[in-house]
Amino acid sequence: MSSSQQARAVVLEAFGAPVRSRELPVAEPGPGAIVATVELAGVCGTDVHLQAGRLPIPLPVVLGHEGVGRIAALGEGVTEDSLGTPLAAGDLVAWGSSISCGDCFYCRDAQEPTLCERRRIYGINRRADEWPHLGGAWAEAIYLHPGSMVVRLGAGTPPEAVIALGCAGPTAVHGLLGVAPVGVGESVVVQGVGPVGLATAMYAQLAGAANVVLIGGPASRLERARALGVGDAYLELDAQSPAERLDAVRELTGGRGGDLVVEATGVPAAVAEGLELCRPGGRYLVLGQYTDHGPTPLNPHLVTRKQLRVLGSWAFSQADYATYLRTVPQLAARFDLPRLLERFTLGDAQAALDAARAGEVGKAVLVPDAG
Ligand SMILES: [Zn+2]
Ligand SMILES: [Zn+2]
């Protein structure tokens, strides 16, 4: 941050156009709020979709819904983090991306805060041309409103590990530990080896799955998963026909198919195949369809005949984010998370977006103080 209390930020001003670097004013934190300097900010597939205009959001917006940073200033009344740990300037913290309203049908009655009708999301629906301007993590500083989930990071929770899975980590927590819990000894099949697929496979392993089969491509992504220690078996998408894949999955799962199959591709056609890959009586979790790519043919007979439970999972709650942070030390002990990182400066944010779109990098992150 410059001394004049301006912060550099990466702003999406128009859909389909390159992101811009802008100087925005740093607001004093009001009661209950926090201003943090950003140390690492994640680039996610959603950011690619936002830039392309595939989601209805207000512009301009400072992008970045994944961030880790340090407390710069605490608003009146803020003495501890969301979990009760004392907070002081200079402390390393991570924050959840969204604040649900607490008052709508979904928050109050249905107890499903991810479905909140008025969810405020950093880096997605916070306007950059309105106070307090710095509403995303792709910036030197971010304004964290009252009600944000802010958690001080202990020594066992390195920021590189937290940001390596970004929103994919808590997304997998919501899906795999909440909506469709994985059982000890189960066979889990994961369609897709992007960030959500990898995080899903990691949590399946952490939760005691006996066998995690990864399906995806290109081969380099499967190789990256193997190098990280994620998954037990790997099926390359382009190397087999769907029928061959089905045979291979059955062979790897005792002849029956997966107890739990998780879709983490974002490709509608994957759902038809996923239903085939479930064992009778199994569960199918559709976790990766974050953008509406339209309808797709599938065979509903499979759902009835195999008595499948087909489930969806949308985003993650603040509680899921806390669970994610609590389990980062376990993930980091088992998987080489920092190995996923590819660092970019704020000025190279567009290059980072392009790399994420091309699937060339494990996890693109922006480092605001790197120039
Ligand atoms: Zn994301
Ligand atoms: Zn709500």
Side-chain angles (χ1 to χ4, degrees), residues 100-108 113 115-119:
S100 46
C101 78
D103 200 38
C104 70
F105 169 80
Y106 296 100
C107 285
R108 205 189 45 231
L115 302 178
C116 171
E117 291 165 343
R118 292 184 288 273
R119 209 157 60 106

